[in-house]
Structure formats: structure tokens, C-alpha cells
Amino acid sequence: MSTVYALGSNGSGQLGIGHKEDVSVPKPVLFKATNVDPITQVKAGGNHSLLLSSKTLFYAGDTHTGACGVLSDSQDTESHFQEIFLALDTSVRPEVALFAATWEASIIVLQDNNKKATKVYTFGTGSRGELGLGPFLFRSSKAQLIENFPPQGLEVVDLGASVSHVVAVLSNGDVYGWGNGRKGQLGQPEGILHSPRKISGVNFEVTRAVCGREFTYLIGDAEQGQHLVLGSDKWNVRSEAPVDVRGWKDVGATWGSIFVLRNDGKLLSWGRDDHGQLAPPGLPFLTKISIGSEHALGLTEARDVLAWGWGEHGNCGPNTTNGDVQKTWNVVASSKYLPPGCQISSIGAGCATTWICISS
């Protein structure tokens, strides 16, 4: 059994809690389906949220952009999570391997008949190439396959996105990107990319990629710790990057800062900090992180969920100073208050939204 709680920005019902008001304390997420398996990943666009449960994708929030897929006659716009359908035939339930979201679009990678993650679909709205479907298709609620991608014999192993660009890491360590590349976040030459293009000039095999608003962060093998920031150096995300990040465990990015969780539980961060986004001093060792648009979450060894950064919409809890949590953190959930046999299993952060998944 699993339960999901959410807090934060909810003007479009993207928290799926039955109404459209922001909340600063965790509220239970509502699902139209019954017996939903544990949530393993959370991704969010500007006003829509995506939750993955046993390779089934659920959505809540603004459906007008098409980023929530095809709506059947039986679906409605109530503020709760419903299963995403990629076409009018709702009997087809593909297995989702990876997924991501831009501001108004969703990107999913499905498994082929050989259980390889080779089918990349996009849907929603993307006026700057976010759909990757060429210059003439910029809105579709029906999932559209990106043809001839990835190259034959390769599969997608990681997927990242921010406001208006997308990157995909392939099984050979190459990285491709599409969308808004005007700041060099998709490599050279700069510009809008309407279809996937290989990012050249990366001298190591990439294993993970995350995106900020105007940059892309690529990282290689944990033993070597090679990494690279592409794009704008606003907030010094490129110039203040450490030489290497050996021993990394997980990575994330706000719109203007980068976070690297090490195997020893320490959290490295650099970039924008005007709302307290960077790791506060004295932060306990963490086992997991999840990074939103301008706030961060960490799960401690004691299973407390810590939140800090920009929390104007309640996504960092009720205790803020002018909407911020700076140089400290709030405990927004704790396993010590759960019934016996229950624990916080995963966390998620979106665009001013916070997610807490509890399993028993």
C-alpha cells in the first residue's frame, strides 16, 4: 500500500488534492484509479504534474496545453490524478520507461517489443521546438513519435528537461537535445532545435543529464566524476563548478543552480542562491534529493523530509520569511510521526510543488 502527499502551488489543480488552492502542509493526493502501486518518480511542468506508478503514468493539472495526453469522454478536469492516454484507444496501456516535462509539454520513452527504451513520444505545446517533431508541429494532445530516434541499436537511459529544452542520454554515452538552445544549452551552433541533435564536444561518456532554465548539466561515471555545464553562465553555474564530482550518487538542478548528492550523504551545490536555493549550512547527511524549479528537498537518514529555497506557494512548508527558506530548512514530513510499518519511500519536487510518497 502507498499514499502520496503534496503541498505547494495548485492554481491549476496540479497537486491532485481535490481543489485548486495552494497548500503549505502535506495533503493526500487523490487518484481516480484504485489500488495504485507505489509512486517511483515525479516530474512536473509549469501547471501539470506527472506521477509514475509501475510503468503507468498519471497526470493532474492544466489539460488545455495537451501535456496531459488525450482526454477520453470518461475523463474530467477534476483536481485528482488520472491515467494518461496517448491515443483515443484507451485500451492501449504502454509501459513507460522514462519521462520528463517542459513548461507545457510532456516527453515519455516507451519500451519496444524487446523491452528496450527506444520509442520517444512527445505531446503538449512547444513553440520553441520542445516537441522535437519538426518546425510545423508545435501542439498535439495525441502522443507523437519522434521518428528515427534514437539511432538504431541504441536506447535512451536518461531524460532531462526544463522550461523549454529537452536532453536524452543514450546507452553509448552520447547526448541529444532539442528545443530552445539559444544560450548554448544544447551545444553549438546555438539556436532553436526542432528535432533531436547530437551534442558534440563532450569528451566523456555521459550517464545522467539534468536541465536548468538556460543550461544543461551532464555527468559521467561516478568514479571519474567528469561533468560539464553547457549554456548560460548566469548565476555562475559554469564558472563556479568544481573540477570533478567523484563519488556522486544523484544530481538535480533548479532553474539557476546545480546539486550533486555524494555517496557519503553530503550535498554539493552552486549557482543561484537569492532565495536560499543552495544547500544550507549544517545540512544533515541525505539519502535522496529532489530538486524543483527554485526549491530543493532532501531525505535524511532518519527519514525526515527537508525543504528549503523559494517557498512562496507553500512548497517549503508554512514557515518562511518573505516566502523564502534561506540558510536553514523546514521539516515538511517525518517518518517518526507515521504509524508502525510505514515509512517515507521517495520524494519529488516540481514547479513550486513538493511530493512525499509513503509506503507500508
Side-chain angles (χ1 to χ4, degrees), residues 2-344:
S2 68
T3 307
V4 184
Y5 288 82
L7 59 156
S9 179
N10 194 37
S12 297
Q14 61 264 46
L15 295 184
I17 56 176
H19 60 78
K20 296 183 179 181
E21 300 294 329
D22 293 359
V23 293
S24 60
V25 294
K27 298 295 183 181
V29 167
L30 306 176
F31 287 88
K32 191 170 185 179
T34 58
N35 300 320
V36 175
D37 289 334
I39 300 301
T40 54
Q41 289 187 62
V42 177
K43 306 286 180 163
N47 294 291
H48 73 289
S49 304
L50 306 174
L51 305 183
L52 183 65
S53 168
S54 297
K55 299 182 180 179
T56 298
L57 202 58
F58 295 88
Y59 77 87
D62 184 12
T63 61
H64 295 93
T65 63
C68 296
V70 175
L71 302 183
S72 68
D73 293 337
S74 62
Q75 288 174 298
D76 52 55
T77 56
E78 293 181 16
S79 181
H80 54 226
F81 276 91
Q82 304 178 69
E83 185 176 346
I84 277 189
F85 294 113
L86 306 184
L88 291 175
D89 183 0
T90 58
S91 64
V92 179
R93 285 176 164 80
E95 294 186 345
V96 177
L98 298 164
F99 66 109
T102 63
W103 188 258
E104 292 186 328
S106 300
I107 307 94
I108 61 173
V109 183
L110 305 182
Q111 293 182 336
D112 59 23
N113 293 332
N114 297 317
K115 300 296 183 181
K116 300 292 186 180
T118 61
K119 296 182 177 180
V120 182
Y121 287 85
T122 63
F123 47 99
T125 301
S127 60
R128 286 169 288 190
E130 294 96 320
L131 298 184
L133 300 169
F136 304 112
L137 185 55
F138 54 87
R139 190 190 187 283
S140 176
S141 59
K142 179 182 177 181
Q144 304 283 343
L145 177 68
I146 298 181
E147 301 284 354
N148 302 315
F149 180 77
Q152 189 172 5
L154 300 176
E155 63 177 318
V156 182
V157 297
D158 195 34
L159 190 67
S162 187
V163 175
S164 58
H165 74 288
V166 185
V167 291
V169 181
L170 304 188
S171 49
N172 66 346
D174 287 346
V175 185
Y176 283 70
W178 62 94
N180 185 0
R182 289 176 172 169
K183 299 292 185 179
Q185 61 265 53
L186 298 175
Q188 299 297 324
E190 300 174 354
I192 299 294
L193 300 181
H194 294 282
S195 58
R197 182 185 73 183
K198 182 179 176 180
I199 297 177
S200 59
V202 183
N203 60 2
F204 59 91
E205 291 188 6
V206 177
T207 59
R208 287 286 308 276
V210 294
C211 300
R213 189 182 186 102
E214 295 180 342
F215 67 85
T216 298
Y217 181 56
L218 307 176
I219 193 165
D221 177 75
E223 185 176 344
Q224 298 296 323
Q226 295 166 300
H227 64 154
L228 178 66
V229 183
L230 299 171
S232 170
D233 194 33
K234 190 175 183 180
W235 311 107
N236 300 319
V237 290
R238 282 195 293 111
S239 55
E240 290 189 355
V243 175
D244 64 67
V245 287
R246 289 189 175 103
W248 70 269
K249 179 180 180 181
D250 198 6
V251 296
T254 65
W255 286 350
S257 47
I258 295 172
F259 298 77
V260 178
L261 179 63
R262 300 192 332 190
N263 283 321
D264 60 8
K266 294 181 180 179
L267 183 61
L268 306 178
S269 61
W270 64 95
R272 185 176 185 177
D273 195 34
D274 57 333
H275 295 282
Q277 295 96 319
L278 299 186
L283 190 69
F285 291 153
L286 303 176
T287 61
K288 293 182 180 182
I289 59 170
S290 188
I291 310 302
S293 54
E294 294 293 1
H295 77 294
L297 303 178
L299 184 64
T300 69
E301 295 172 331
R303 295 283 167 174
D304 290 337
V305 180
L306 313 183
W308 64 91
W310 182 64
E312 183 178 348
H313 291 279
N315 44 296
C316 292
N319 299 319
T320 67
T321 301
N322 298 321
D324 296 337
V325 179
Q326 297 196 46
K327 307 304 180 185
T328 186
W329 59 85
N330 286 337
V331 179
V332 295
S334 177
S335 289
K336 69 180 69 173
Y337 300 119
L338 299 178
C342 296
Q343 67 172 359
I344 296 171

